[in-house]
Structure formats: structure tokens, C-alpha cells
Amino acid sequence: MLSRVAPWLASRRDGAAPGVAVRVLGVADTAQLLSLARQDAVANVFILSHLETTGTASPTAGGASIFGVFDGGTLLGACWAGANLVPVQLDPEFASLVAMAAHRSGRRYASIFGPAETVLALYAALEHLGQSAHEVRDDQPLLTITGPPAVRPDPAVGFGQLADFDKILPACAAMFEEEVGYSPYLGGREYYSRRVKSLIRQGHSLVHLNAEGTVVFKAELGAVTPDVTQVQGVWMNPQFRGLGLSAGYMAAVVVLAQTLAPVTSLYVNDFNTKARATYSRVGFHQAGTFATVLF
């Protein structure tokens, strides 16, 4: 993968122009970060959701921080550095600077995700520093829909309830393992359980439980702002696949998501042709291309 972004690494050993530097953002940088992220409210919904919740660019109590690339006092780009690395309007030209700062922090990252060109540039720089990926998904269409879905929503889908947590959690874990290839409980069951419970409490868990109490379908709104929601964790119980239910369920997700924000977004692996066909049928259109690097 290094070969795809190596030219700028080779031509600019310092990774940036003179006077450009990286530092961790603080509360005084919040307004600049917000203005930067709003340049693309769909691609940057993750960080915008964080700012909507916390109101600050300062490091979190859990140890996550945001690296900013500055030319003097002007913020040129940024990158969330928590469990994952998430670039924010970051030009690939500055990826080596951010990668070096992330590497020097000593923190281990589970993934990098965001706009493809920058994600791949960050990974190229980290790979140069000795960090190898478990998997690189370099082509993930970023899709959006506004307005009503093109197919009838399935009314069985609703917001998840805490009373059903013990049913929803195993479905979330099954989706995670199917998607990334390992259990979300590897780092401890408690953290992942808190995450799922938090999504339910916030009204960001969408699910259909049938009369027997089985989760047939589920999805989450992983990031939410007043303008955009980002759908994640879409999963159909294997017992119910191939029955033509997916489009109706996704249409219902769109309708419910649009009670929170007018734009519904998601990104999908390019090789997942069935899912892409479903999203197209529902009315999603491509707005960009993401990539994900899994460590």
C-alpha cells in the first residue's frame, strides 16, 4: 500500500512546508476546529458529533486527543487520536507530520478511517515507522440520502430499548466479529457493553426484534449532529438473510435517522455488492470515498 502514496513521502522528507507544525489541540482551538470540520459535514460527522457532545477540542478524560496542523496560528487540518485515528480536512501532504506525532504518543490505534487519500497517506507514513496493518480497505463508497427513501420502510424497525439490551448486545457483537474478524470483547466485555448501552440510551440503536425476542435486524447511528447522521453496524441475522427484507429495513433506518438530522450517511466496502445494491435501491448516492485501515 505504501507505493500508492510514496511520491509525496519521497519528495518531502519533512512532510510539510517550513513553519508548519503539529500540536495537540486545546479549548482555545475549538472554534477553528469546528469551522474546519464544517467544510464537509458528511465526511467529518465523527468529529462534529464529538464537538456537539463535549463542546471542546481539549483531550478527553479517557486519553483521546486531537492533533492539529498549524501554519502560525492557522489550523490547516486535524486528526482525532483516540482508539482510532480519524483525519479532519487533513491534506495528505501533512500526513507524515501527524503520523509521527501519533507514533510518538505511544498509543496503539485499532484503525484509521476517513477520506481515502488521507487515510492511505497516514498509513503509508505509519508503515514507514514500523506499524503494519491487519487489513486495508482502500475503497469504501461514502453514501448519503436526503428526503424520503425510494422503497417502503418496514414499520417493524424501531429504536432499541434498554429492556432489550441482553438481546441487542449479542447481535452487536456478532456484527462486529463478522465485519472485522475478531471479538469486540478481546479488550474486555465491559467497555463494549457500555458502548452499546450508551447507544441505546441516546436513541441511536435501531432494531427489529420479532415476537420470539430474536434480533432480526439492527443498526446504529454511530455519529449524530443536527445536520448529519452516520449509520454503522448494519446487520441482518443470518437466519433471515436472502428473504428480501434488507431494503425495507434500511428505508426504516433512513426515516428514523431523519427524525434527528436531514442527511443520512454511511460508508460500505466496495466488494459488498449486495449491500451496495440495497443502498442504491433505497436511494443512497455516493458523496465521496472512504478507506479503513485495521491494525
Side-chain angles (χ1 to χ4, degrees):
M1 188 58 61
L2 186 59
S3 62
R4 305 187 90 182
V5 289
W8 61 263
L9 281 173
S11 63
R12 303 192 64 157
R13 292 184 180 181
D14 63 353
V20 173
V22 174
R23 65 170 172 82
V24 173
L25 300 187
V27 63
D29 303 305
T30 303
Q32 276 206 81
L33 178 62
L34 186 59
S35 177
L36 185 78
R38 283 176 172 165
Q39 292 178 21
D40 190 336
V42 173
N44 298 318
V45 65
F46 174 87
I47 197 68
L48 287 168
S49 177
H50 170 74
L51 292 173
E52 184 76 22
T53 301
T54 66
T56 178
S58 298
T60 70
S65 59
I66 304 169
F67 294 116
V69 179
F70 286 86
D71 184 357
T74 302
L75 183 64
L76 304 178
C79 187
W80 168 268
N84 311 291
L85 289 173
V86 186
V88 181
Q89 298 299 110
L90 182 65
D91 194 299
E93 176 182 8
F94 303 126
S96 61
L97 275 177
V98 173
M100 180 60 74
H103 180 71
R104 286 175 174 168
S105 74
R107 191 179 186 112
R108 301 301 299 176
Y109 304 101
S111 74
I112 315 170
F113 66 85
E117 187 178 3
T118 301
V119 166
L120 297 176
L122 281 167
Y123 176 55
L126 286 170
E127 189 178 42
H128 190 70
L129 294 167
Q131 297 191 32
S132 297
H134 165 69
E135 185 177 355
V136 177
R137 300 176 178 179
D138 60 358
D139 185 0
Q140 297 177 306
L142 175 64
L143 310 177
T144 62
I145 181 173
T146 57
V151 299
R152 179 180 178 274
D154 192 319
V157 178
F159 292 106
Q161 304 298 316
L162 282 175
D164 297 315
F165 170 75
D166 289 339
K167 300 181 180 70
I168 295 171
L169 179 62
C172 291
M175 180 284 307
F176 186 100
E177 188 161 358
E178 188 174 317
E179 178 68 15
V180 302
Y182 58 85
S183 170
Y185 301 143
L186 284 180
R189 184 185 180 98
E190 183 180 352
Y191 174 81
Y192 188 72
S193 297
R194 284 202 311 268
R195 169 64 176 162
V196 172
K197 192 168 287 187
S198 175
L199 288 165
I200 296 172
R201 283 200 182 103
Q202 294 174 78
H204 297 170
S205 169
L206 309 171
V207 65
H208 172 212
L209 282 86
N210 64 15
E212 289 72 39
T214 299
V215 174
V216 178
F217 170 88
K218 69 95 193 170
E220 288 83 44
L221 303 178
V224 177
T225 74
D227 303 305
V228 182
T229 61
Q230 187 177 86
V231 180
Q232 299 174 350
V234 177
W235 181 81
M236 178 78 75
N237 189 316
Q239 299 176 51
F240 300 93
R241 294 176 187 174
L243 302 178
L245 301 174
S246 296
Y249 283 146
M250 281 307 304
V253 166
V254 170
V255 169
L256 293 171
Q258 288 179 354
T259 65
L260 303 176
V263 180
T264 308
S265 70
L266 58 83
Y267 57 99
V268 59
N269 294 317
D270 67 312
F271 54 79
N272 193 343
T273 55
K274 289 184 178 179
R276 291 183 64 182
T278 294
Y279 299 144
S280 178
R281 184 181 169 199
V282 170
F284 282 88
H285 300 281
Q286 187 164 355
T289 302
F290 267 24
T292 299
V293 176
L294 300 170
F295 291 102

